[in-house]
Amino acid sequence: MMKKIIFSTLLLLVLVPMLAFGQNTGTLKGTIIDAEFNEPLPGVNIFIKGTTFGAATNVDGNYEIRNIRPGEYNVEISFVGFERVLLTGIRITAGEETELNYTLKEQILTSDEEVVVVGEAPIFDVEKSSTSSNISRSQIEAAPIRRVEDAVQLQSGVVKDPTGLYIKGGRAYETGYVVDGVSAQDPLAGTGFGLDLGANSFSNIEVITGGVGAEYGDVTSGVVAVQTRDGGDKYEGSFSHKRDNFGSNVASNQANFFTDIYELSIGGPGLLSEKLLPALGLDLPGRISFFATGQLAVSDEYTKNSANQVRSSLIDDTFWSPRQDNRWNGMLKMTYNIKPGMKFQAAYQRSLTVNQNTRMLQITGADVQIRPGYQFIFQPDLDNANTYTHESKLAYVKWTHTVSQTAFYDIQLSRLFTRLRSDANGRDWRPENVDSEFDPESITTFPAREFEGGDDFTYVLAGPGFYNNGGIATLWHDHFAEEITLKSTVTKFFNERQNQLTGGFEFKFNDYQWIDITRPWIGAPIQIDENTFSETRRVGETFDIWRVRPKRGAFFLSDKIRYRGLIATIGARLEYWAPGAYVDRAIDNPEAPIPDFIRDEYKNDTKKIFGQRFKFRLLPKVRVSFPVRENQVLFFNYGHSARIPHPSFVYAGLDPFYQDQSDFPDLGNPNLNPEVDISYEIGLRNQLSANDALNISAFWRDKYDFVTTQTITVQDPTGRPVQRAFRINGDYARSRGVEMTYIKRYRDLLQGQLSVTYSRAEGLSSTNDDNFQNIAGQQLVGNNVETPLAWDRPWDIKGNITFTYDRDEPLFDLAPLNQFRAFLSAVWRSGNRYTPYEFVGFSRNPVTGANDWRPIYERVQDPSKRFSEVGPSWFYMDLNIQKWIEIGDTRLSAFLEITNLLNNQNAIIVNPVTGEGYRSDYPNSQEALVNLRNDRSYDVPGNVRDPRYLDPNDNNVPSYLNPANFLQQRQIMFGISLQF
């Protein structure tokens, strides 16, 4: 039904304007001249973008295009060996001839994207067949953007919450993150962007949410492609400092997160070619430039609770972690333009993040859905919570060469190294011996609180619900991933640029190490007497340790054809994957705990090449756009994408000599297949005028072979049957929806965007471990019913507007109202989904024994009700105001940045009993609390403490006190910047 509505709507949008077609048309004519010889150029192609109209110049350099509907158009001029030009805002008038002459300059082909724009830059590309948006450097500077995620979340089809980015209903880990053409995502951390660059590093950000090209691999949702900045012909630099404090952390100041952000950048011509070599009498051909940048962002975050000192066992010096969240990053980039069409680039980028956010390690398994990473249960003593240290290093060299006026290629060699350590705030992985209680618990402490139970007895109330016994975090984790990539792309043009053929390859050589241990003190020596210590062979309660060297890569090819306004791109990507010798040896080792049927399937489904076993998958991709009338283009894209499962699902527990001795440990499946996404999208782009655009599209995505978990019985090395949690490709999901985006520009003053998305994401489960948890818990809610996914947000409405005033005369003749810019954005979004709870009775009264005490709520057992309800909607606004003055070539700016301008409370964690956010406005007196017992808006699930009912048996967590129940409050940042 929904498909019919979508396609009927789009059909009407196409047909209605066509029925109103008028007969009055105009003509475009002119002459194209060679700039060097001042002679006519024959054979030059002239296209009117977004139409079927085009022409080529005759021997005298003249062209003429007739029967053009009146309006504003963008005209593209191209000729082999000359610059490609886009002239914008060309007006055609009914019954008249518009003359458009142009003088073309010779230019060596360097890329398909290089185009000279004459006039105002177009607000979007009406002929584009993919769904993507470009965020320019000026837009990045205007908005309150600190990291790449902040820029991406402003785009249509993207939802950002504390757990990650979700593009068109896909899971957070399905999004690809590419920096300068290199994948910069930690392959072992699950979600999250591996390389954490600051906003001052970005030149351009492209967000692709539909029609992902064949050049991108291991992505099944969308792509975030970042292009970093280059140095120019003259020295330029900047320094900025933002803060929300006056130099100290004042806990009573509710607007103070104690945040400081420092940014520094400098770029320009390289000293080697500008100074040093000429001084030595040497002449280096071409031009060298460089760009360097760094950012430091430290904060105590919106929870406003911090450890006395965040520590990491990965780095010795606490200098790197002065606050609760600490982010350092930097980049050095060198560009050597040897001659036109020949360029060499090299870059080194690095980031270090130290904090206590559990989302740093968000493996795609048993994580609770849609919860922030604040370790609330450790709130009284965050010095005992987990600290996460994430380090990323990305280095590459890239060579680009134009071999003729119709062909060029590039080749890039890169190395990405990521490492993540989770420890109990800097402690070693395990104690030398067990001499105290390490398990964190909530205990009753002196002085105990009493609860009067009657005339003859008194109860002692339970502990606070928080960990307060001095116990420490139970997880110790360390992994690193090294990925060396060789990638090359070749582009060849045929038929006067009407046919573009692009092919290439991508070879990845990986080295992964994974160590994951819970309760690592289990197995440590216990001192029995002065000279005697116990010994065991256990490494914690559960553990998973392996090091592997898989190989991955792809060959890709696409052909872009243009014919009378129709643009079709047909391509394919052939991906390969070899799990590596670690798996191949385990398959051949009869002592490895691998089921025999998996051994057989692995051998049948793989091909042995160069001594290792490989799997292959062909991914077709098609994108088409064609005009249905002037400045109105219908587009369609269809494609297959695949993503390799998380390596822990493949390699866990395969070593027969190092076996996890816990109940239901994980067992990897060497024969897992990639998760697959098949996407369809159709839409209509309308260039209403040079300053107005309306886009509407509908998408449908089917996702197959998601990894899920089941129990399996295998034999351990002693021949004893044991049960394992085994991963299989047995899950699926789908997402579909409609998007509408309106873009408006008013002269040089105003630019804004409004987008509306309605979508649904449904499937069998929201995590890879849902099925296993249901089996282990013997729950009725199983994986055999398709229901909304945890991150499904049906409505997402967002908009932003930028007002810039920089003219000779101030606004309203008021001197301060000049050289300033204001950015305002707003988001209204459906709330988080949850599974409702239902009332089943009352608990036993601890005094009288009657069942008239606290109301009991249990999760609804109907499988179709899983995540069936939507919590309170979110609404927030952000504001950024910048004022500057210019002194020569130097700009001094001051700015005010306010996030969550109206200080709205947006519930992240929904109380499944009431469907609202948890209430925290409890009165202080016990008498007033008792009076609230009949107020159902304060009711909570049984695993949450209810302060209205003092009960000696209640040692549950007081979740209503969690500051992370809601998105961040209002934050006011102010600062200055200097640009030269």
Side-chain angles (χ1 to χ4, degrees), residues 13 157 297 467 502 513 532 587 635 637 652 675 711 938:
L13 287 170
Y467 292 150
T502 302
Q513 178 174 287
T532 307
I587 289 291
F635 71 93
N637 59 65
E675 299 177 338
T711 58
Y938 286 91

mmCIF file of all heavy atoms in Angstrom, residues 13 157 297 467 502 513 532 587 635 637 652 675 711 938:
data_model
loop_
_atom_site.group_PDB
_atom_site.id
_atom_site.type_symbol
_atom_site.label_atom_id
_atom_site.label_comp_id
_atom_site.label_asym_id
_atom_site.label_seq_id
_atom_site.Cartn_x
_atom_site.Cartn_y
_atom_site.Cartn_z
ATOM 1 N N LEU A 13 3.192 14.502 -9.517
ATOM 2 C CA LEU A 13 4.124 15.631 -9.541
ATOM 3 C C LEU A 13 4.734 15.816 -10.925
ATOM 4 O O LEU A 13 5.091 16.913 -11.324
ATOM 5 C CB LEU A 13 5.229 15.418 -8.499
ATOM 6 C CG LEU A 13 4.805 15.588 -7.037
ATOM 7 C CD1 LEU A 13 5.913 15.103 -6.112
ATOM 8 C CD2 LEU A 13 4.474 17.045 -6.747
ATOM 9 N N GLY A 157 17.399 12.783 5.977
ATOM 10 C CA GLY A 157 17.575 11.343 6.030
ATOM 11 C C GLY A 157 18.539 10.858 7.083
ATOM 12 O O GLY A 157 18.773 9.655 7.200
ATOM 13 N N ALA A 297 39.677 19.635 22.367
ATOM 14 C CA ALA A 297 38.343 19.861 22.932
ATOM 15 C C ALA A 297 38.230 19.055 24.219
ATOM 16 O O ALA A 297 38.347 17.833 24.203
ATOM 17 C CB ALA A 297 37.253 19.447 21.949
ATOM 18 N N TYR A 467 26.841 1.697 42.748
ATOM 19 C CA TYR A 467 27.995 0.948 43.229
ATOM 20 C C TYR A 467 28.725 1.790 44.275
ATOM 21 O O TYR A 467 29.170 2.903 43.991
ATOM 22 C CB TYR A 467 28.941 0.636 42.064
ATOM 23 C CG TYR A 467 28.371 -0.334 41.058
ATOM 24 C CD1 TYR A 467 28.736 -0.268 39.720
ATOM 25 C CD2 TYR A 467 27.473 -1.322 41.430
ATOM 26 C CE1 TYR A 467 28.238 -1.158 38.783
ATOM 27 C CE2 TYR A 467 26.955 -2.216 40.507
ATOM 28 C CZ TYR A 467 27.336 -2.125 39.183
ATOM 29 O OH TYR A 467 26.825 -3.005 38.262
ATOM 30 N N THR A 502 34.892 4.641 -15.778
ATOM 31 C CA THR A 502 35.747 4.680 -14.595
ATOM 32 C C THR A 502 35.913 3.276 -14.040
ATOM 33 O O THR A 502 34.933 2.548 -13.844
ATOM 34 C CB THR A 502 35.146 5.578 -13.496
ATOM 35 O OG1 THR A 502 34.957 6.894 -14.024
ATOM 36 C CG2 THR A 502 36.058 5.653 -12.288
ATOM 37 N N GLN A 513 44.047 -7.425 16.214
ATOM 38 C CA GLN A 513 44.218 -8.128 17.492
ATOM 39 C C GLN A 513 43.087 -7.727 18.426
ATOM 40 O O GLN A 513 42.762 -6.546 18.543
ATOM 41 C CB GLN A 513 45.558 -7.800 18.145
ATOM 42 C CG GLN A 513 45.740 -8.481 19.513
ATOM 43 C CD GLN A 513 47.118 -8.272 20.097
ATOM 44 O OE1 GLN A 513 48.084 -8.864 19.628
ATOM 45 N NE2 GLN A 513 47.225 -7.415 21.099
ATOM 46 N N THR A 532 51.953 -19.094 50.185
ATOM 47 C CA THR A 532 51.181 -19.933 49.275
ATOM 48 C C THR A 532 50.145 -19.113 48.529
ATOM 49 O O THR A 532 49.390 -18.349 49.149
ATOM 50 C CB THR A 532 50.486 -21.073 50.034
ATOM 51 O OG1 THR A 532 51.445 -21.787 50.811
ATOM 52 C CG2 THR A 532 49.814 -22.018 49.049
ATOM 53 N N ILE A 587 39.839 -24.518 10.466
ATOM 54 C CA ILE A 587 38.967 -25.406 9.690
ATOM 55 C C ILE A 587 39.625 -26.786 9.523
ATOM 56 O O ILE A 587 38.954 -27.836 9.590
ATOM 57 C CB ILE A 587 38.660 -24.784 8.316
ATOM 58 C CG1 ILE A 587 37.722 -23.567 8.476
ATOM 59 C CG2 ILE A 587 38.053 -25.803 7.375
ATOM 60 C CD1 ILE A 587 36.323 -23.906 8.905
ATOM 61 N N PHE A 635 14.691 11.046 -11.228
ATOM 62 C CA PHE A 635 15.867 10.202 -11.065
ATOM 63 C C PHE A 635 15.487 8.893 -10.385
ATOM 64 O O PHE A 635 14.489 8.792 -9.678
ATOM 65 C CB PHE A 635 16.969 10.921 -10.278
ATOM 66 C CG PHE A 635 16.674 11.105 -8.812
ATOM 67 C CD1 PHE A 635 17.100 10.171 -7.868
ATOM 68 C CD2 PHE A 635 15.988 12.223 -8.364
ATOM 69 C CE1 PHE A 635 16.824 10.337 -6.525
ATOM 70 C CE2 PHE A 635 15.716 12.408 -7.017
ATOM 71 C CZ PHE A 635 16.140 11.452 -6.097
ATOM 72 N N ASN A 637 17.611 5.290 -8.658
ATOM 73 C CA ASN A 637 18.828 4.529 -8.422
ATOM 74 C C ASN A 637 18.500 3.206 -7.756
ATOM 75 O O ASN A 637 17.526 3.076 -7.019
ATOM 76 C CB ASN A 637 19.868 5.330 -7.624
ATOM 77 C CG ASN A 637 19.379 5.774 -6.267
ATOM 78 O OD1 ASN A 637 19.114 4.944 -5.401
ATOM 79 N ND2 ASN A 637 19.266 7.091 -6.069
ATOM 80 N N ALA A 652 35.781 -15.533 17.224
ATOM 81 C CA ALA A 652 35.685 -15.808 18.660
ATOM 82 C C ALA A 652 35.752 -17.306 18.952
ATOM 83 O O ALA A 652 35.051 -18.108 18.332
ATOM 84 C CB ALA A 652 34.385 -15.232 19.219
ATOM 85 N N GLU A 675 26.619 -8.921 5.340
ATOM 86 C CA GLU A 675 25.254 -8.398 5.412
ATOM 87 C C GLU A 675 24.994 -7.584 4.146
ATOM 88 O O GLU A 675 25.866 -6.844 3.686
ATOM 89 C CB GLU A 675 25.076 -7.544 6.659
ATOM 90 C CG GLU A 675 25.306 -8.330 7.939
ATOM 91 C CD GLU A 675 25.217 -7.494 9.193
ATOM 92 O OE1 GLU A 675 25.382 -6.261 9.098
ATOM 93 O OE2 GLU A 675 24.990 -8.061 10.267
ATOM 94 N N THR A 711 21.928 -20.920 19.897
ATOM 95 C CA THR A 711 22.761 -21.827 20.679
ATOM 96 C C THR A 711 23.119 -23.046 19.834
ATOM 97 O O THR A 711 22.346 -23.471 18.968
ATOM 98 C CB THR A 711 22.025 -22.293 21.948
ATOM 99 O OG1 THR A 711 20.806 -22.941 21.581
ATOM 100 C CG2 THR A 711 21.724 -21.110 22.854
ATOM 101 N N TYR A 938 4.292 8.763 38.135
ATOM 102 C CA TYR A 938 5.554 8.465 38.822
ATOM 103 C C TYR A 938 5.858 6.964 38.838
ATOM 104 O O TYR A 938 6.904 6.562 39.347
ATOM 105 C CB TYR A 938 5.513 8.979 40.264
ATOM 106 C CG TYR A 938 5.642 10.483 40.374
ATOM 107 C CD1 TYR A 938 4.520 11.293 40.374
ATOM 108 C CD2 TYR A 938 6.886 11.092 40.484
ATOM 109 C CE1 TYR A 938 4.628 12.673 40.494
ATOM 110 C CE2 TYR A 938 7.008 12.472 40.601
ATOM 111 C CZ TYR A 938 5.870 13.253 40.604
ATOM 112 O OH TYR A 938 5.986 14.618 40.729
#
